[in-house]
């Protein structure tokens, strides 16, 4: 695996592959790899001739300087993991390569960016995501880019970006990978104390309460959410949001008929976590622990 720092070096490395018609897969990341990232890389490896993993902790999408400072970072460990999985190129540019002096462009999507994470983290969060993702797509020119279902709103927004700007690539959304107790894997999990880590599993339990309510015939979002909220309360967790929305519009549902997305965000101690389950879809039965997917 080769680590690349500049856009020109990246273009040089990919030119021959593009000319030969090789299929290029991109896994955009902010590093601190966990099994969720690795599952995206494995999928990319299966489906592509050339796998590029980008590693860039994008300052533009952090609404709190303390969150950016605390974000875990270990490039040597990440590079070793990516290399083991057969990734071809680790694109890890410095901030000045992505945002050179005089940088003045923003990619802004309206509507679906303004609710849920957009409402709680502020407008700038998704503006930062869409801007950097558009740049990464332009830099790499992938045929397919891989995103995790854990960031369901982000995945929905990236699909909108690609559709609205006629970007010539496919977005593949891969299932959430979970710890044994159901906690969705996240780079932020390492920031939890042992006691917080234990309580954090309540996020998935809350979503499971919605699954159970739905399976037993309840279609009333308020009732389903009440059951889920009880799980969070028992763990001493007050959510930023706990909502049932349309997967297409991300608007709250008056009734759960057909596909829905149950989303939760909460701080456990100082660490903010998010998770979601698809409801009423063909998400299938839950897979076994540690490869537990939705
Ligand atoms: O999901 C992430 O890690 C980031 O939001 C992304 C897509 C790499 C953009 O910085």
């Amino acid at each position: 695996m080769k680590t690349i720092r500049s856009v020109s070096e990246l273009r040089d490395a990919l030119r021959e592959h593009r000319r030969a018609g090789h299929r290029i897969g991109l896994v955009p990341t902010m590093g601190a790899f966990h099994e969720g990232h690795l599952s995206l890389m494995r999928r990319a490896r299966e489906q592509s001739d050339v796998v590029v993993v980008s590693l860039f902790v994008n300052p533009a999408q952090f609404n709190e300087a303390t969150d950016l400072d605390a974000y875990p970072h270990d490039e040597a460990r990440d590079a070793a993991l990516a290399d083991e999985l057969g990734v071809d190129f680790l694109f890890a540019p410095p901030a000045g390569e992505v945002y050179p002096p005089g940088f003045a462009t923003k990619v802004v999507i309206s509507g679906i960016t303004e609710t849920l994470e957009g409402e709680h983290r502020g407008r700038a969060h998704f503006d930062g995501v869409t801007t950097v993702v558009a740049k990464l797509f332009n830099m790499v020119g992938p045929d397919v880019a891989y995103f995790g279902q854990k960031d369901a709103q982000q995945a929905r927004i990236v699909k909108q970006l690609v559709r609205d700007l006629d970007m010539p690539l496919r977005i593949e959304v891969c299932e959430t990978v979970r710890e044994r107790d159901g906690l969705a894997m996240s780079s932020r999990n390492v920031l939890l104390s042992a006691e917080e880590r234990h309580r954090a599993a309540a996020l998935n339990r809350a979503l499971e309460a919605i699954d159970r309510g739905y399976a037993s015939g309840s279609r009333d979002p308020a009732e389903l959410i009440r059951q889920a909220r009880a799980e969070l309360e028992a763990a001493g967790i007050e959510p930023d949001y706990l909502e049932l929305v349309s997967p297409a519009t991300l608007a709250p549902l008056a009734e759960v008929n057909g596909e829905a997305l149950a989303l939760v965000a909460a701080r456990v101690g100082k660490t903010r976590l998010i998770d979601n389950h698809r409801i009423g879809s063909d998400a299938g039965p839950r897979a076994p622990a540690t490869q537990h997917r939705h």
Side-chain angles (χ1 to χ4, degrees):
M1 187 187 73
K2 188 165 190 243
T3 297
I4 291 182
R5 305 279 173 201
S6 73
V7 178
S8 61
E9 208 190 330
L10 178 70
R11 295 223 165 101
D12 287 347
L14 293 176
R15 188 168 297 114
E16 273 312 306
H17 291 290
R18 216 181 303 286
R19 223 175 260 151
H22 291 163
R23 189 182 168 88
I24 301 173
L26 168 67
V27 181
T29 82
M30 296 202 298
F33 295 161
H34 50 70
E35 195 50 43
H37 295 111
L38 304 186
S39 73
L40 302 182
M41 292 177 209
R42 281 191 202 102
R43 181 75 64 88
R45 185 66 285 167
E46 279 161 24
Q47 298 185 346
S48 326
D49 299 306
V50 185
V51 177
V52 181
V53 171
S54 63
L55 192 174
F56 179 64
V57 183
N58 176 31
Q61 70 188 76
F62 284 81
N63 44 317
E64 291 169 14
T66 48
D67 190 23
L68 175 59
D69 293 343
Y71 203 81
H73 196 88
D74 186 347
E75 188 187 308
R77 175 186 167 275
D78 288 346
L81 288 168
D83 188 30
E84 241 170 69
L85 290 184
V87 167
D88 298 293
F89 300 110
L90 182 70
F91 177 50
E97 181 72 7
V98 180
Y99 301 116
F103 182 84
T105 298
K106 245 191 234 172
V107 178
V108 178
I109 295 178
S110 54
I112 54 173
T113 55
E114 290 159 29
T115 61
L116 303 163
E117 288 300 283
E119 190 179 330
H120 287 268
R121 298 188 65 174
R123 251 239 85 92
H125 169 62
F126 281 125
D127 294 351
V129 171
T130 46
T131 302
V132 84
V133 167
K135 283 178 66 76
L136 289 167
F137 289 170
N138 283 337
M139 290 166 174
V140 176
D143 297 286
V144 188
Y146 298 83
F147 290 83
Q149 171 67 21
K150 187 183 77 77
D151 297 298
Q153 186 176 14
Q154 170 174 280
R156 171 69 188 83
I157 289 166
V158 169
K159 283 185 171 177
Q160 187 82 33
L161 170 77
V162 164
R163 197 181 73 183
D164 288 356
L165 296 186
D166 306 300
M167 292 173 157
L169 75 152
R170 182 170 69 77
I171 301 303
E172 180 149 337
V173 181
C174 301
E175 292 162 10
T176 302
V177 182
R178 296 179 181 278
E179 302 283 0
R180 242 170 221 295
D181 63 359
L183 177 66
M185 293 214 182
S186 163
S187 302
R188 296 176 198 274
N189 291 354
V190 297
L191 304 174
L192 298 165
S193 69
E195 181 267 341
E196 290 163 355
R197 169 66 191 78
H198 180 71
R199 288 196 294 128
L203 267 69
N204 180 57
R205 283 202 300 278
L207 297 170
E208 284 178 341
I210 295 181
D211 295 339
R212 279 196 304 280
Y214 181 82
S216 64
S218 176
R219 296 291 180 266
D220 173 15
E223 173 54 27
L224 291 164
I225 286 168
R226 210 171 8 254
Q227 292 166 12
R229 195 173 264 277
E231 290 288 346
L232 296 178
E233 272 168 16
I237 296 172
E238 177 59 37
D240 278 358
Y241 59 78
L242 174 60
E243 287 195 36
L244 271 158
V245 305
S246 150
T249 64
L250 303 181
L253 293 167
E255 196 185 15
V256 186
N257 263 329
E259 292 198 0
L261 198 53
L263 302 117
V264 63
R267 263 178 215 280
V268 182
K270 287 198 167 78
T271 308
R272 192 167 178 284
L273 301 174
I274 61 172
D275 198 358
N276 68 86
H277 284 193
R278 284 172 293 164
I279 310 294
S281 71
D282 56 359
R286 305 278 181 256
T290 70
Q291 292 295 307
H292 198 157
R293 296 154 196 274
H294 286 279

